[in-house]
Amino acid sequence: MHELGVVFHVIKQVEEICVENDLTEISSVTLELGEVSTVIEDYLHDVWNWAVLKKSEHMKTAKLIVETIPAVTFCEDCQQEYPTVEFGKTCPHCGSKKTYLLQGNEFNIKEIEGC
C-alpha cells in the first residue's frame, strides 16, 4: 500500500508551506485525484488520520478532502474524446487503438485551508 507514502509526501509538502507562510494550523487539505491514478482513495482516507496525528506538527486535526478528476482518453484517428474507465484504450467511436490519456492520472494538492 503506497498510499501511506503518498500521505507522508503530502504532509511534508504542507508542513513546508506552513513554515514558509507562518501558518500555525491547517484545518483541511484538498487533493485532486485522477480516476486512473494508482492511488486508492479509500486507503488514502484510512491512513490520513493516523499519519497527520503522528507525523505532523500543524495538521493534527486536518480534514482530507478528495476531488476526483475523471479519466478521459483522446483518439488520434477520429479526434474524439471518451471516458477511459468505461472503454479503456480502444476508441468506442472508431475502434482505433491509437489513443492516449488526456486526464485522470493526476495527484495534486489543490487547496490548503489554514490559519
Side-chain angles (χ1 to χ4, degrees):
M1 173 170 51
H2 70 284
E3 284 74 12
L4 184 58
V6 169
V7 168
F8 286 162
H9 178 72
V10 170
I11 289 170
K12 182 179 181 230
Q13 295 295 310
V14 173
E15 287 290 338
E16 288 174 5
I17 291 167
C18 285
V19 171
E20 291 169 5
N21 294 281
D22 294 323
L23 299 174
T24 57
E25 186 178 345
I26 299 299
S27 56
S28 70
V29 175
T30 302
L31 302 177
E32 293 178 317
L33 181 61
E35 190 176 26
V36 294
S37 71
T38 59
V39 179
I40 299 170
E41 183 178 350
D42 288 343
Y43 293 170
L44 200 62
H45 284 285
D46 286 346
V47 299
W48 178 262
N49 291 332
W50 174 85
V52 294
L53 186 62
K54 298 290 185 184
K55 301 290 182 182
S56 172
E57 180 181 334
H58 300 95
M59 302 170 55
K60 296 200 181 294
T61 60
K63 178 181 175 186
L64 174 64
I65 301 165
V66 178
E67 296 178 358
T68 302
I69 298 173
V72 177
T73 296
F74 179 78
C75 177
E76 294 182 64
D77 284 341
C78 72
Q79 306 293 299
Q80 297 287 318
E81 296 178 9
Y82 64 89
T84 307
V85 172
E86 186 176 351
F87 298 104
K89 289 185 156 192
T90 304
C91 177
H93 304 288
C94 71
S96 174
K97 293 190 184 286
K98 291 183 184 177
T99 62
Y100 60 88
L101 189 67
L102 287 176
Q103 68 177 42
N105 197 30
E106 299 86 353
F107 183 87
N108 303 312
I109 299 172
K110 179 182 178 183
E111 184 175 83
I112 300 165
E113 185 177 342
C115 59

